[in-house]
Amino acid sequence: MVAVDESDVSLYALKWTLEHVFKKHVVDPVMGEEVDPEPDPEQGMVTLVHAIEPFERYTFPAEPSMYTSASMVESVRKAQHQNAVELLSRAFQICRKAKIKAETLILEGDTKEMLCQAVEEMHFDLLVVGSRGLGAIKRAFLGSVSDFCAHHAKCPVLIVKPPHK
C-alpha cells in the first residue's frame, strides 16, 4: 500500500517503490550489465491510497457567523473527493506506465490513523509513505504521518525520503 497525497514527495515515493520493490532487476549474462527492469509478476499489485481529512463544520470558539451551511459543507466534501480521484488517477497512470497492476482506495478521516487502520483491516504486507523532512519542532507540533505509521502500523513501513538536491 502506497500513501499518496498532493506532495511531490509522495509521488517520488510511489515511483521509487515501483522501481525498487515491484521491478525485477536482471543482469544480461553476456554483457554483464543490468537490462531495463521488468515488472516482477510475483509481486502482485500495489494499492494506492489517499485519505481525505474531515471538513469541520464548526470553528471554535464558535460564533454565529462562524457556522458553515450544510450546502457549503457538501460542496467542500465534493471538492475533496474530486481532488482525491484526480490525484489517485495520476498515481494510477504512473503504475500503468510502469506496467504494475494497481488499485485505488479513498479513505475518510485522520490520515495517519486511517492508514494504520487500513493496513490492519486489509492485511497489507508493506506500507510506503513519503517523508517531507519536517524538523523536530514542526514534527512535534504538526505530527508526522510517517513517524506515527512507523510506530503504529501492523506491518513493515517503508519511509521514502526525497533525493538531496
Side-chain angles (χ1 to χ4, degrees), residues 2 4 14-15 18 22-23 39 45-48 88-104:
V2 178
V4 179
L14 171 60
K15 291 173 186 175
L18 296 178
F22 283 89
K23 295 271 181 122
M45 143 171 33
V46 63
T47 300
L48 308 167
L88 289 172
S89 177
R90 283 196 307 268
F92 185 84
Q93 291 305 319
I94 291 169
C95 295
R96 190 173 176 181
K97 185 177 178 185
K99 300 178 184 162
I100 304 294
K101 291 182 199 167
E103 65 181 356
T104 60

Side-chain angles (χ1 to χ4, degrees), residues 26-46:
V26 180
V27 175
D28 183 319
V30 176
M31 301 299 288
E33 297 174 357
E34 187 173 299
V35 296
D36 288 340
E38 287 295 318
D40 186 349
E42 295 178 18
Q43 290 299 330
M45 143 171 33
V46 63

Side-chain angles (χ1 to χ4, degrees), residues 44-64:
M45 143 171 33
V46 63
T47 300
L48 308 167
V49 63
H50 178 72
I52 298 173
E53 294 283 339
F55 177 71
E56 299 298 328
R57 186 171 181 171
Y58 307 104
T59 54
F60 295 98
E63 295 179 18

Side-chain angles (χ1 to χ4, degrees), residues 17 42 50 59 64 67 76 84 89 91-92 108 138 143-144 148-149 158:
T17 303
E42 295 178 18
H50 178 72
T59 54
Y67 292 112
V76 169
S89 177
F92 185 84
E108 292 188 31
K138 282 186 180 178
S144 164
F148 183 91
C149 291
L158 174 62

